[in-house]
Amino acid sequence: MAFRAAIFDLDGVLVDSARLHFVAWKRIADELGIAFDEHDNEALKGVDRMGSLDHILALGGMSLDLPAREELAARKNGYYLDALETMSDADILPGATALLACARAAGLSLGVASASRNAVMVLERAGLSNSIDFVADAARVARSKPAPDIFLACAAGLGVVPTACVGFEDAAAGVAAIKAAEMVAIGIGDAAILAEADLVFASTAAVDLDRVLRLAPAPSQV
């Protein structure tokens, strides 16, 4: 039985908007007097906005009430949206457009499952909106990655059972979410960090879709 859908994380898999998130979080950390660098930012991959803020506060040993945290999260989003104005198709990761085209040619429905609440805007700015059939909205799921909610929501939106989906992720939390959704997980990045994935490629450009498609589950599993 062949896969029926491919579901992609956005930042770090299809587009390079991770740098914009880092710049925005760095501004927040600097305002709070918390040391925060690219290494610290790795822990935020695949994590939603409030979870990312909580991680940064923990780095600084800070504890804030919910209204204060919500204000900081909103401020960070404002910084990110300002940076997003500079995004274009130049920010599409190498190999991403070809991967989407090949997946489409293989007969797969295409979805995006991103922790970003701005995923639709990012796709529009990058010129990829017409390539995607459904975008799962992080604001509408109960739990963020590593819980499977957003991948399950994307599969439902595409009208495909989870076991007939293959997911692509660059974060360990995202890979864990894909596996929890009972989908095949493809890691993009460091194989040591993405050890739970069924198959790992160093970059989006390195993805061999034929190898991915051979991982499709047996008919009795779909």
Side-chain angles (χ1 to χ4, degrees):
M1 176 69 69
F3 288 119
R4 293 181 53 208
I7 300 176
F8 301 88
D9 178 42
L10 187 55
D11 298 339
V13 174
L14 297 180
V15 298
D16 184 19
S17 55
R19 63 181 178 82
L20 306 183
H21 285 291
F22 170 68
V23 169
W25 280 125
K26 175 67 173 169
R27 285 184 67 179
I28 293 294
D30 288 347
E31 290 168 3
L32 294 171
I34 296 174
F36 182 73
D37 57 21
E38 288 90 344
H39 176 74
D40 298 316
N41 191 59
E42 285 295 310
L44 306 189
K45 285 187 175 181
V47 180
D48 66 7
R49 194 180 305 160
M50 291 301 288
S52 295
L53 175 60
D54 288 343
H55 181 80
I56 291 173
L57 292 175
L59 288 175
M62 295 182 66
S63 178
L64 299 174
D65 61 22
L66 182 58
R69 288 162 53 228
E70 288 178 336
E71 189 280 327
L72 284 171
R75 193 191 312 168
K76 179 269 175 180
N77 191 50
Y79 293 158
Y80 174 70
L81 292 176
D82 288 343
L84 190 58
E85 291 300 316
T86 67
M87 174 170 273
S88 69
D89 58 4
D91 292 290
I92 298 174
L93 285 168
T97 302
L99 176 58
L100 291 173
C102 289
R104 178 74 72 194
L108 302 182
S109 296
L110 307 180
V112 162
S114 171
S116 173
R117 299 189 180 202
N118 301 302
V120 171
M121 186 183 301
V122 171
L123 288 167
E124 289 173 353
R125 295 291 302 177
L128 291 175
S129 295
N130 292 336
S131 300
I132 302 299
D133 300 309
F134 185 81
V135 179
D137 185 348
R140 294 180 180 273
V141 297
R143 301 172 298 170
S144 59
K145 305 172 187 177
D149 300 33
I150 197 162
F151 283 96
L152 294 174
C154 196
L158 292 169
V160 178
V161 296
T163 51
C165 299
V166 56
F168 295 77
E169 264 282 358
D170 72 323
V175 169
I178 295 170
K179 298 300 290 184
E182 299 186 345
M183 301 177 182
V184 170
I186 306 301
I188 306 292
D190 188 326
I193 294 174
L194 306 173
E196 289 187 35
D198 296 290
L199 188 61
V200 179
F201 297 96
S203 66
T204 302
V207 173
D208 181 339
L209 191 60
D210 288 337
R211 287 183 64 194
V212 172
L213 296 179
R214 288 198 290 270
L215 296 177
S220 61
Q221 296 177 274
V222 177

